[in-house]
Amino acid sequence: MKKDNKVSKIIYIVIFVLSVALDQITKNMAVTMLDPGEPVNVIKDVFRFVYTENMGAAFGMMQGRQVLFYIITGLVIIAILYFLIRMPSDSKYLPIGIVLSFILAGAVGNLIDRVSHKYVVDFIYFAPIDFPVFNVADIFVTLGCIAFAILVIFVYKDRDFDFLDPRKKNDN
């Protein structure tokens, strides 16, 4: 393994570990410091913390389908790891590697909740747009997917992803 490849992989691992830790620490704080149904206003009528237990997917959809969430999350984790492992060490791939590390961290953060609690702890709420309650892992997944789409559409070319084809030689 080339030195720059080792450095980029270490960067991805550090981002992943710190992001999962931040997600789990903030969820633990929500569990221990917030009472269900008792919101804590941070900015009146704008931003508040409110403890909720989400047994579904985003926006509370598909409540109680834990096995499906395990399967989907497992497939996402495998796909991201495959991408990161096969990705060349060229510095042009660093942005997409970082973005995928955040998405992976978000997926794992919510998976930890599903496995340990059978629900996901959500606690962040923006009142002006009445957006559903969410958590730090959701932020990583959402912003990571947006950044991934932007990178794929506007930065990288189709040939930049030839490394994903197992029939082609991978030089990392």
Side-chain angles (χ1 to χ4, degrees):
M1 189 182 291
K2 297 177 188 173
K3 183 180 178 185
D4 53 344
N5 194 21
K6 285 182 182 178
V7 170
S8 62
K9 302 295 189 217
I10 290 169
I11 290 170
Y12 306 149
I13 291 168
V14 168
I15 288 170
F16 170 79
V17 169
L18 291 177
S19 298
V20 170
L22 177 63
D23 173 64
Q24 292 300 299
I25 289 167
T26 57
K27 286 175 180 173
N28 185 53
M29 290 173 67
V31 168
T32 58
M33 300 171 81
L34 298 173
D35 293 323
E38 297 289 326
V40 174
N41 285 312
V42 178
I43 301 172
K44 187 175 172 27
D45 298 326
V46 176
F47 175 67
R48 68 183 76 135
F49 294 126
V50 57
Y51 176 83
T52 60
E53 297 174 353
N54 183 356
M55 293 183 196
F59 314 115
M61 297 183 301
M62 300 170 54
Q63 291 290 318
R65 298 201 176 141
Q66 296 300 322
V67 173
L68 180 62
F69 298 131
Y70 295 143
I71 292 168
I72 292 170
T73 303
L75 292 172
V76 167
I77 290 169
I78 290 167
I80 290 173
L81 289 175
Y82 178 80
F83 194 104
L84 290 172
I85 289 167
R86 292 201 46 93
M87 192 168 57
S89 59
D90 188 330
S91 63
K92 77 176 179 181
Y93 292 102
L94 188 63
I96 205 161
I98 290 170
V99 165
L100 287 173
S101 298
F102 280 116
I103 296 170
L104 183 62
V108 169
N110 281 339
L111 179 63
I112 291 169
D113 280 20
R114 289 189 196 287
V115 169
S116 63
H117 306 302
K118 306 293 185 239
Y119 56 83
V120 174
V121 173
D122 289 332
F123 60 93
I124 302 169
Y125 178 71
F126 283 103
I129 56 175
D130 194 27
F131 198 79
V133 181
F134 57 97
N135 61 47
V136 173
D138 297 336
I139 295 168
F140 292 147
V141 170
T142 302
L143 294 181
C145 286
I146 292 168
F148 183 80
I150 290 169
L151 289 169
V152 168
I153 293 169
F154 298 109
V155 176
Y156 297 100
K157 309 291 183 238
D158 288 345
R159 68 181 174 276
D160 290 331
F161 299 108
D162 284 349
F163 66 87
L164 292 172
D165 187 341
R167 297 169 296 187
K168 297 189 180 189
K169 188 175 187 247
N170 188 6
D171 293 327
N172 48 319

